[in-house]
C-alpha cells in the first residue's frame, strides 16, 4: 500500500521530560525496564559483554547502556561477530560508534572457516550461519570467558524468540533448552550459573520494531545509512533485490540496475535482500512500516530454510 | 487515529499520538483447548498486528477446517508445541490500538506448567481467564484465576469462549458467570487480594466480541474483550505510594560524583526530599536526580534514575532507599505465600538463596504453615511443597532486609528462592506477614533471672531512652504516630500538664522506670519561643516547623545518634 503523503519530514520533536504528574509514554516505560536489566547484569556478572551487531536494535541497546551508567562509561566491552560478509558501511559505522561512545570494541571472526571459503551459496544457509555466526560467537564467549552476553533480539521478531526469557540460560555448550527454562517472575532475575555456563540477556525483549524506530526518532540515535532509501546498484531477481557486495555470484548475463532501495534489517550481504523504498528519513521509515504487510524477517533468507529454523539455530547457540 | 489510506495522514501527528499511549500487560490462560491461542491469534489478526508472511506461513496448516486459518499457529512458537498442539511455555505477544500498547503473556494451562503461568502473571496488570462455554468451569481456569489473584493481579477478565457451539445462548453464559463469580470471591478471600472481574461472552474462532461487538448476542450489552482491556487501569504501584528505591549500583566515575542507580519501585522522589537508607537507617537529603537526558526535579515509579545525596553515607547495592516519613520494615522473619516451581520438593531448614529487589540473602524455610488445594481452596497440613504446589511458609533470613507486604507493594513484597546447588529458581514468594521489626531475630531461650537491657532491646527492637520535644501538640502527635508505625514503643508524658507531673521528682521517677523498661519516654513541652527542638541523650536538633516529614526524619536521626534506635545491619551481621 503506497503512502500517499508524508508531512514535514524532520520537524524537531522535543524529548518529553517525565515529571511526576505527567503520563509516562510506553517508550519511557520500556526504557526504564531495559535500563534496570542492563544495571542488574553489570552488577551481578563477572564478565558481561554486549553483542553489537550494528543494526537498529543494537543502536538502541547501546544508547540504553549509555543511559544506564551515566555519567560513568559503559562498564563492559562490545563484541561484534564479523562473518566477513558484512556490508562495508556497517564496519565503518561500527568503529565510529564504538569510538564515539567510548566503549571497548572486540571483533571476532571464525578465521579458519572464512579462510576455507565458507559461504551460503556453497553450503546451505543453516550450515553457513552455524560456522560463521554461531561457532564464532561460542568461540569468542569461551575465549574471553564472558558469563553474560547482551543481545538486541526482540520477542516480536519471530515465534521462538517470543518464548525467550529476559535472562536466557545456556549450558556449557552454549545451548538453549526451550522446554526447560527458568521461571522468571517480576523483575527478579536469576543470575546464578556454574562455571562454563552463561546467560544471554535480552534487554529489548518487550520492544517492537515500531518502538525501536520511534525511539531512534525521539532520541536522535544514529543508524547506518543502509536503512535509508537511495539509488543503489542491485541485481533484480523477480521480487528480490540483491545488493552487490563481496562474494556475490551473478548469473551469466546478469547486469546490476540502479534501484531506489534500502535495507529493512541488516545481516550478511548474501542473505539480506533490499526492498524498493522511498523512505529516506526516520519518519518516512515509520510511515512505511505502518504500510507493510510483511514482517521484517521476510527478506532474510536464513529464517526460512526450515520450519522452526530459528528455534533450531537458537538451541545450537545462535543468538 | 489517522489511517494510512486517508490522504491527510501525517507521521508527525501519528508520532504525537503514539506518545500518548501507555503500556498494559495482561496474561492469558485456560484449560487445554479452551481456545486461548485462537483468541490471541484473533486479537492480533483483527488489530492488524500480524504480517501477511506470518499468516501465509500457517495457512493450510493446523486443526481447523480447510479454508479457515488456525490462529493458534500464530502463537505456539516451539516445535514441541506445534507437534503436540499445546502451549508449554509463556509466549509474549505485542499489539497496539489507538489507546494502548499491549503486551500479552500467553501462558500454558496444563498444571505441570503452573510455574510458567506464574511467570506470566507476575508482571500482568490484568488476567484474561478462558472458559469453554460448552464445558463449564474446569480446574485449570480456577488455577489461573487463583494464581493471578495470588500474584496481585487485580482485574480478572473472564472470556467465556466457544459461544458459537452453544448457539450463543444467554442462559449458559449467565450460569457460568454466576458460578465463577462465587469462586472468584472465595479466591479473593483466600489470597487476601481484592479481585475485580468482568465477564464477556465470545467466540474466538468467529471473532464475536473479541475486537468488535457481536450481533449474534444482542442480550449482551457490555463491551467487547478488547474494549474492556483498553479501559482497565494498570495495577502497578502508583506514584502516590510511599517512595521505594532499591539500589542496583553505585555509580562513581570520579571523585566528584557518587550516585545511586536504581529503578523507582513505587512512589515519587523530588529534589530536597529526606530519605532513609535501609537497613542501616541513615538519613540524607536528595540533592540531584540524574539522567543521561539531564537532571530531573522529580521522578516517579517506574523510571530508572540515579540519585545523588547531600552527605557521604555508606550505601551499597541491595540497600533500599525509602521516604524518611514512611519506611519499610527491616526484618528477618517472614510469612509468605509460595509457589513451588522445582522438581525437587521444598526442604525445611535447608539453605536457599532469597532474591529480593537487588539483593540476595541466604534463607531457610522454618515451617510450612499450610498447603492450598487450588481445586477446593482447602488448606491442608503439609511439611513440604512439591512442583506446582502452593502454600504458606515461614522464613528465616540470615540477615535482615527491608521489605513491605506484597499487598502493599508488588516489588518490595516479592522474592524468588534459588537452590544454591542447582542454581534453579525453585519458588516465587509473596510476603504476607512480618514477624519482627528489627534485626534482632535471635530467640530468647534458656534465660532466667532478671531481664537484661539486651533482652529488652532484642524484644522491643530499640533501647530505652528519653526523647524530649519542644513542639506544638499536632507535631508531637505526628511523631508519636510515626514512632508507633516503626515499631518504637513510646510512653508519652505531657510535661506541661498540671498534675501529677508538675511534681518534678515524681516525673523523673516515672521517666526512669520507662527508660529502664527499655521504652522511650516521649516528653512533650509547649515551645516557649518559635524554636522547635528535639533533645535526646547529649544531642539536640532543631525541627523544621513547616515540614513534618523533615521533622520526623530529624527525630529518627536523633534516635540513632543517641543509640536508642539500633543499627539494624550491624546487629544482624553479628
Ligand atoms: N467452535 C469453536 N472452536 C474454537 C473456538 N476457539 C477455539 N476453537 C477451537 O478449539 C481448539 C483448541 O483451540 P486452541 O486455541 O489451540 O486452544 P488452547 O489449547 O487453549 O490454546 C481448536 O481446534 C480451535 O480451532 C471458538 O470460539 N469456537
Ligand atoms: Mg494453545
Amino acid at each position: 500500500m503506497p503512502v500517499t503523503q508524508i508531512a514535514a519530514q524532520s520537524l524537531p520533536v522535543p524529548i518529553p521530560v517525565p515529571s511526576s504528574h505527567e503520563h509516562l509514554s510506553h517508550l519511557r516505560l520500556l526504557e526504564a525496564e531495559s535500563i534496570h536489566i542492563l544495571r542488574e547484569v553489570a552488577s551481578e556478572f563477572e564478565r558481561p559483554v554486549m553483542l553489537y551487531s550494528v543494526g537498529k536494535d543494537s543502536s538502541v541497546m547501546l544508547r540504553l547502556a549509555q543511559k544506564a551508567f551515566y555519567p560513568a562509561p559503559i562498564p563492559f566491552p562490545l563484541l561484534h561477530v564479523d562473518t566477513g560478509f558484512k556490508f562495508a558501511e556497517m564496519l565503518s559505522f561500527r568503529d565510529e560508534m564504538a569510538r564515539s561512545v567510548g566503549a571497548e570494541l572486540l571483533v571476532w571472526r571464525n578465521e579458519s572457516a572464512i579462510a576455507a571459503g565458507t559461504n551460503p551459496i556453497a553450503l546451505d544457509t543453516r550450515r553457513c550461519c552455524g560456522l560463521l555466526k554461531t561457532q564464532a560467537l561460542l568461540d569468542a564467549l569461551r575465549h574471553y570467558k564472558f558469563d553474560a552476553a547482551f543481545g538486541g533480539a526482540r520477542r516480536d521478531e519471530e515465534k521462538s524468540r517470543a518464548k525467550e526469557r529476559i535472562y536466557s540460560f545456556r549450558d556449557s555448550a552454549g545451548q538453549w533448552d526451550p522446554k526447560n527454562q527458568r521461571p522468571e517472575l517480576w523483575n527478579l532475575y536469576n543470575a546464578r550459573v556454574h562455571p562454563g555456563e552463561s546467560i544471554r540477556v535480552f534487554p529489548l525483549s518487550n520492544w517492537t520494531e515500531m518502538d525501536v524506530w520511534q525511539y531512534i526518532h525521539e532520541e536522535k540515535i544514529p543508524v547506518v545509512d543502509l536503512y535509508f532509501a537511495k539509488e543503489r546498484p542491485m541485481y533484480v531477481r523477480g521480487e528480490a533485490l540483491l545488493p552487490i557486495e563481496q562474494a556475490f555470484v551473478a548469473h551469466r548475463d546478469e547486469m546490476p540496475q540502479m534501484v531506489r532501495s534500502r535495507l529493512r534489517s541488516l545481516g550478511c550481504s548474501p542473505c539480506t535482500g533490499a526492498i524498493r523504498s522511498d523512505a529516506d528519513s526516520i519518519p518516512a521509515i515509520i510511515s512505511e512500516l505502518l504500510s507493510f504487510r510483511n514482517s521484517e524477517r521476510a527478506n532474510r533468507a536464513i529464517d526460512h530454510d526450515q520450519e522452526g529454523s530459528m528455534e533450531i539455530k537458537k538451541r545450537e547457540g545462535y543468538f | 487515529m489517522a489511517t494510512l489510506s486517508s490522504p491527510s495522514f501525517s507521521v508527525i501527528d501519528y508520532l504525537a499520538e503514539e506518545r500518548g499511549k501507555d503500556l498494559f500487560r495482561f496474561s492469558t490462560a485456560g484449560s487445554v483447548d479452551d481456545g486461548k491461542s485462537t483468541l490471541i491469534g484473533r486479537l492480533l489478526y483483527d488489530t492488524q498486528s500480524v504480517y501477511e508472511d506470518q499468516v501465509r506461513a500457517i495457512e493450510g496448516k493446523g486443526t481447523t477446517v480447510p479454508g479457515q486459518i488456525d490462529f493458534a499457529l500464530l502463537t505456539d512458537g516451539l516445535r514441541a508445541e506445534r507437534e503436540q498442539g499445546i502451549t508449554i511455555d509463556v509466549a509474549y505477544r505485542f499489539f497496539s490500538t489507538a489507546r494502548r500498547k499491549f503486551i500479552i503473556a500467553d501462558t500454558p494451562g496444563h498444571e505441570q506448567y503452573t510455574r510458567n503461568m506464574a511467570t506470566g502473571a507476575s508482571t500482568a496488570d490484568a488476567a484474561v481467564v478462558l472458559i469453554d462455554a460448552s464445558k463449564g468451569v474446569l480446574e485449570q481456569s480456577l488455577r489461573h484465576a487463583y494464581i493471578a489473584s495470588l500474584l496481585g493481579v487485580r482485574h480478572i477478565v473472564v472470556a467465556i469462549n466457544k459461544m458459537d457451539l452453544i448457539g450463543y445462548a444467554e442462559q449458559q453464559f449467565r450460569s457460568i458467570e454466576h458460578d465463577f463469580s462465587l469462586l472468584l470471591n472465595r479466591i479473593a478471600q483466600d489470597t487476601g487480594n481484592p479481585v475485580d472481574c468482568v465477564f464477556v461472552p465470545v467466540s474466538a474462532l468467529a471473532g464475536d466480541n473479541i475486537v468488535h461487538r457481536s450481533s449474534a448476542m444482542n442480550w449482551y450489552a457490555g463491551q467487547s474483550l478488547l474494549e474492556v482491556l483498553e479501559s482497565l487501569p494498570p495495577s502497578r504501584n502508583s506514584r502516590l505510594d510511599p517512595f521505594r528505591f532499591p539500589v542496583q549500583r553505585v555509580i562513581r566515575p570520579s571523585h566528584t560524583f557518587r550516585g545511586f542507580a536504581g529503578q523507582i519501585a513505587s512512589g515519587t522522589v523530588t529534589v530536597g526530599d529526606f530519605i532513609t537508607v535501609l537497613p542501616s537507617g541513615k538519613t540524607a537529603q536528595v540533592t540531584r536526580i540524574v539522567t543521561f537526558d539531564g537532571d530531573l526535579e522529580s521522578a516517579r515509579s517506574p523510571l530508572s534514575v540515579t540519585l545523588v545525596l547531600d552527605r557521604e553515607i555508606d550505601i551499597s547495592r541491595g540497600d533500599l532507599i525509602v521516604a524518611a516519613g514512611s519506611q519499610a520494615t527491616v526484618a528477618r522473619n517472614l510469612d509468605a505465600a509460595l509457589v513451588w516451581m522445582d522438581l525437587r520438593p521444598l526442604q525445611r531448614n535447608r539453605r536457599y538463596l532469597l532474591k529480593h529487589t537487588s539483593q540476595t540473602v541466604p534463607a531457610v524455610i522454618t515451617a510450612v504453615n499450610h498447603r492450598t488445594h487450588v481445586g477446593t481452596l482447602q488448606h491442608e497440613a503439609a511439611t513440604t511443597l512439591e512442583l506446582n504446589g502452593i502454600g504458606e511458609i515461614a522464613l528465616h533470613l540470615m540477615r535482615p532486609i527491608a521489605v513491605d507486604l506484597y499487598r502493599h507493594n508488588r516489588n518490595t513484597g516479592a522474592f524468588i528462592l534459588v537452590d544454591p546447588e542447582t542454581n534453579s529458581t525453585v519458588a516465587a514468594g509473596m510476603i504476607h506477614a512480618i514477624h519482627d521489626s528489627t534485626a534482632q531475630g535471635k530467640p530468647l531461650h534458656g534465660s532466667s533471672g532478671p531481664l537484661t537491657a539486651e533482652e529488652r532491646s532484642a524484644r522491643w527492637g530499640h533501647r530505652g531512652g528519653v526523647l524530649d520535644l519542644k513542639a506544638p501538640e499536632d507535631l508531637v502527635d505526628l511523631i508519636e504516630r510515626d514512632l508507633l508505625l516503626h515499631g518504637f514503643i513510646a510512653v508519652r508524658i505531657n510535661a506541661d500538664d498540671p498534675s501529677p507531673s508538675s511534681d518534678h521528682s515524681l516525673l523523673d521517677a516515672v521517666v526512669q522506670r520507662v527508660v529502664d523498661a527499655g521504652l522511650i519516654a516521649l516528653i512533650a513541652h509547649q515551645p516557649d519561643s518559635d524554636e522547635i527542638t528535639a533533645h535526646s541523650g547529649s544531642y539536640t536538633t532543631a525541627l523544621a516547623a513547616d515540614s513534618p516529614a523533615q521533622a520526623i526524619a530529624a527525630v529518627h536521626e536523633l534516635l540513632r545518634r543517641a543509640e536508642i534506635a539500633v543499627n539494624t545491619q550491624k546487629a544482624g551481621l553479628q
Side-chain angles (χ1 to χ4, degrees):
Chain A
M1 194 195 310
V3 180
T4 38
Q5 191 191 336
I6 295 162
Q9 303 253 311
S10 49
L11 280 179
V13 179
I15 296 169
V17 177
S19 87
S20 61
H21 302 294
E22 245 172 64
H23 142 102
L24 294 176
S25 73
H26 65 281
L27 289 180
R28 286 284 156 239
L29 298 171
L30 291 170
E31 176 188 72
E33 176 183 82
S34 302
I35 290 175
H36 173 263
I37 296 163
L38 286 154
R39 288 169 170 173
E40 279 301 288
V41 173
S43 306
E44 288 210 292
F45 289 89
E46 257 160 52
R47 293 181 63 79
V49 67
M50 177 172 281
L51 270 286
Y52 178 69
S53 75
V54 193
K56 61 183 190 306
D57 304 312
S58 285
S59 300
V60 166
M61 189 163 61
L62 189 59
R63 169 61 59 87
L64 291 166
Q66 282 181 282
K67 291 196 175 195
F69 305 103
Y70 176 84
I74 297 174
F76 39 75
L78 310 180
L79 172 68
H80 182 231
V81 174
D82 181 8
T83 59
F85 288 112
K86 298 297 174 188
F87 293 87
E89 278 179 79
M90 290 170 70
L91 302 185
S92 50
F93 182 88
R94 172 196 73 190
D95 296 345
E96 178 48 36
M97 278 312 283
R99 218 184 353 261
S100 73
V101 306
E104 182 191 355
L105 173 70
L106 307 170
V107 177
W108 190 274
R109 292 155 57 99
N110 184 347
E111 293 294 359
S112 60
I114 291 172
T118 304
N119 71 62
I121 296 124
L123 295 179
D124 58 65
T125 55
R126 181 176 163 208
R127 280 193 292 164
C128 184
C129 278
L131 286 166
L132 297 183
K133 288 186 176 172
T134 308
Q135 191 59 49
L137 171 67
L138 296 177
D139 289 348
L141 297 181
R142 203 169 298 127
H143 178 263
Y144 291 107
K145 299 191 166 56
F146 291 128
D147 53 359
F150 292 105
R154 292 173 283 107
R155 286 168 173 161
D156 89 317
E157 273 179 68
E158 194 273 338
K159 278 197 279 197
S160 69
R161 293 223 194 271
K163 299 268 167 179
E164 276 281 12
R165 298 284 192 257
I166 288 174
Y167 275 36
S168 179
F169 176 82
R170 303 301 162 106
D171 65 17
S172 52
Q175 296 182 6
W176 183 52
D177 181 2
K179 280 168 76 174
N180 204 10
Q181 302 196 78
R182 288 178 175 176
E184 192 169 82
L185 291 100
W186 302 288
N187 58 359
L188 296 175
Y189 304 110
N190 179 353
R192 307 235 342 152
V193 293
H194 289 122
E197 298 168 344
S198 62
I199 302 278
R200 304 280 172 88
V201 184
F202 301 106
L204 304 185
S205 285
N206 289 325
W207 295 59
T208 63
E209 187 183 14
M210 183 58 97
D211 296 329
V212 164
W213 280 117
Q214 287 182 10
Y215 194 71
I216 287 171
H217 177 63
E218 300 219 339
E219 299 282 323
K220 303 188 173 52
I221 296 172
V223 291
V224 196
D225 214 38
L226 290 162
Y227 282 119
F228 298 109
K230 64 178 185 195
E231 301 287 329
R232 292 189 167 88
M234 293 281 162
Y235 287 99
V236 182
R237 290 183 190 162
E239 292 278 279
L241 297 182
L242 305 175
I244 299 167
E245 283 272 334
Q246 64 283 63
F248 183 82
V249 186
H251 294 169
R252 270 206 317 153
D253 301 333
E254 197 176 22
M255 292 295 288
Q257 301 169 22
M258 293 302 282
V259 184
R260 196 161 164 78
S261 58
R262 66 182 201 87
L263 296 186
R264 186 170 170 201
S265 98
L266 297 185
C268 294
S269 62
C271 293
T272 306
I275 53 171
R276 288 177 194 274
S277 169
D278 285 323
D280 56 0
S281 69
I282 307 283
I285 288 174
I286 290 171
S287 28
E288 190 186 76
L289 201 57
L290 288 168
S291 73
F292 276 155
R293 310 298 335 145
N294 281 316
S295 72
E296 66 186 301
R297 288 193 160 262
N299 300 312
R300 288 245 203 141
I302 57 168
D303 296 345
H304 307 300
D305 34 25
Q306 198 175 341
E307 164 78 3
S309 65
M310 178 66 85
E311 179 183 343
I312 296 168
K313 284 215 288 271
K314 281 165 58 62
R315 281 168 181 274
E316 290 165 352
Y318 182 75
F319 239 97
Chain B
M1 185 170 75
T3 61
L4 275 173
S5 45
S6 71
S8 61
F9 174 77
S10 142
V11 73
I12 300 300
D13 292 349
Y14 169 79
L15 290 170
E17 195 177 88
E18 286 288 290
R19 252 177 268 130
K21 291 184 185 175
D22 67 356
L23 198 60
F24 191 82
R25 301 174 197 241
F26 66 94
S27 67
T28 56
S31 299
V32 190
D33 287 345
D34 277 354
K36 182 170 49 71
S37 302
T38 309
L39 180 130
I40 291 169
R42 172 58 79 177
L43 270 178
L44 299 178
Y45 190 78
D46 283 3
T47 55
Q48 277 98 48
S49 312
V50 278
Y51 291 113
E52 281 174 0
D53 62 312
Q54 292 170 335
V55 176
R56 267 199 308 276
I58 60 162
E59 257 165 4
K61 297 181 184 160
T63 59
T64 47
V65 294
Q68 193 159 33
I69 296 169
D70 187 352
F71 291 109
L73 295 178
L74 282 175
T75 62
D76 287 338
L78 299 176
R79 278 150 57 93
E81 292 178 323
R82 287 191 297 273
E83 282 156 21
Q84 297 170 38
I86 58 163
T87 308
I88 292 173
D89 207 338
V90 194
Y92 294 89
R93 299 284 153 194
F94 305 83
F95 71 99
S96 63
T97 65
R99 293 194 48 192
R100 271 197 167 147
K101 295 248 174 181
F102 289 95
I103 300 179
I104 313 175
D106 178 17
T107 73
H110 272 247
E111 173 167 8
Q112 69 184 114
Y113 305 120
T114 297
R115 57 185 180 172
N116 298 331
M117 200 190 285
T119 292
S122 67
T123 50
D125 298 304
V128 174
V129 175
L130 254 91
I131 294 178
D132 182 334
S134 63
K135 292 191 194 142
V137 179
L138 301 178
E139 182 171 329
Q140 287 304 321
S141 319
L142 205 60
R143 178 169 283 270
H144 182 216
Y146 186 86
I147 287 170
S149 168
L150 191 67
L151 284 151
V153 180
R154 188 181 183 108
H155 302 285
I156 295 192
V157 185
V158 187
I160 301 186
N161 190 32
K162 306 199 186 181
M163 288 300 293
D164 56 310
L165 288 186
I166 57 161
Y168 297 104
E170 176 173 12
Q171 199 202 329
Q172 261 143 300
F173 171 78
R174 294 294 171 209
S175 101
I176 295 174
E177 178 181 44
H178 174 259
D179 294 351
F180 205 62
S181 299
L182 293 179
L183 287 169
L184 285 175
N185 273 336
R186 289 182 52 207
I187 287 174
Q189 262 166 29
D190 191 79
T191 63
N193 297 325
V195 165
D196 293 337
C197 57
V198 188
F199 290 81
V200 187
V202 302
S203 167
L205 201 61
D208 295 297
N209 283 339
I210 302 289
V211 171
H212 311 288
R213 293 191 197 187
S214 165
S215 54
M217 289 171 274
N218 287 328
W219 48 264
Y220 173 75
Q223 296 175 305
S224 73
L225 180 66
L226 185 66
E227 288 170 326
V228 171
L229 292 170
E230 278 194 305
S231 56
L232 288 175
S235 52
R236 5 170 98 252
N237 299 313
S238 91
R239 65 190 163 88
L240 299 175
D241 288 339
F243 176 63
R244 299 286 184 263
F245 185 81
V247 175
Q248 285 185 278
R249 192 176 175 83
V250 181
I251 294 197
R252 191 185 281 168
S254 67
H255 293 302
T256 55
F257 186 94
R258 185 157 169 267
F260 306 100
Q263 183 174 19
I264 303 173
S266 63
T268 304
V269 63
T270 304
V271 171
D273 279 359
F274 280 86
I275 55 90
T276 300
V277 182
L278 297 175
S280 76
K282 299 225 163 57
T283 296
Q285 208 175 355
V286 177
T287 54
R288 290 178 64 192
I289 303 170
V290 175
T291 77
F292 179 86
D293 304 299
D295 280 16
L296 304 176
E297 192 47 42
S298 138
R300 71 178 225 223
S301 162
L303 290 177
S304 287
V305 296
T306 296
L307 302 183
V308 178
L309 304 178
D310 69 336
R311 64 202 85 165
E312 283 272 328
I313 48 179
D314 187 19
I315 301 179
S316 50
R317 175 174 164 82
D319 286 349
L320 186 68
I321 295 181
V322 303
S326 74
Q327 302 199 1
T329 312
V330 175
R332 295 177 68 177
N333 293 301
L334 309 168
D335 278 354
L338 212 63
V339 180
W340 195 258
M341 309 189 294
D342 199 51
L343 273 172
R344 306 208 320 193
L346 173 158
Q347 270 179 279
R348 278 177 302 164
N349 299 321
R350 177 158 186 268
R351 185 173 163 276
Y352 293 105
L353 297 174
L354 177 142
K355 188 166 186 192
H356 170 264
T357 64
S358 51
Q359 67 191 324
T360 303
V361 192
V364 292
I365 295 166
T366 52
V368 177
N369 300 341
H370 64 252
R371 177 171 53 212
T372 305
H373 186 277
V374 175
T376 60
L377 298 179
Q378 297 296 321
H379 291 180
E380 302 158 348
T383 55
T384 184
L385 292 176
E386 285 168 357
L387 180 62
N388 301 318
I390 294 169
E392 192 180 271
I393 52 119
L395 264 179
H396 179 71
L397 313 185
M398 295 304 151
R399 128 178 108 65
I401 61 172
V403 298
D404 289 298
L405 298 181
Y406 188 75
R407 69 168 176 278
H408 295 157
N409 196 309
R410 242 172 132 182
N411 289 311
T412 51
F415 62 85
I416 57 170
L417 295 179
V418 174
D419 184 320
E421 279 167 39
T422 63
N423 289 337
S424 305
T425 306
V426 296
M430 289 132 281
I431 298 169
H432 275 181
I434 301 168
H435 286 304
D436 49 359
S437 57
T438 74
Q440 314 272 336
K442 276 182 236 147
L444 304 169
H445 49 76
S447 309
S448 60
L451 278 172
T452 64
E454 275 66 32
E455 284 173 291
R456 292 182 206 271
S457 78
R459 185 76 186 91
W460 305 137
H462 56 78
R463 300 207 177 86
V466 178
L467 175 62
D468 215 313
L469 296 175
K470 277 204 180 61
E473 204 174 323
D474 51 349
L475 181 60
V476 178
D477 288 346
L478 275 177
I479 291 172
E480 188 184 4
R481 176 172 293 279
D482 177 78
L483 291 177
L484 179 77
L485 275 176
H486 290 97
F488 291 99
I489 304 173
V491 176
R492 178 163 170 179
I493 299 162
N494 288 331
D496 303 327
D497 283 358
S499 68
S501 44
S502 54
D503 177 345
H504 278 273
S505 61
L506 180 58
L507 178 63
D508 288 349
V510 171
V511 168
Q512 196 55 49
R513 296 290 182 284
V514 169
V515 172
D516 288 348
L519 310 179
I520 295 173
L522 176 63
I523 305 178
H525 303 268
Q526 280 300 325
D528 35 32
S529 61
D530 42 7
E531 203 188 6
I532 301 177
T533 60
H535 174 89
S536 184
S538 51
Y539 302 94
T540 303
T541 299
L543 301 182
D546 50 349
S547 165
Q550 289 183 20
I552 287 170
V555 167
H556 278 275
E557 183 60 38
L558 184 69
L559 292 176
R560 265 183 301 277
R561 284 214 219 129
E563 297 186 334
I564 294 172
V566 183
N567 182 328
T568 48
Q569 185 164 44
K570 278 206 194 106
L573 291 173
Q574 280 163 11

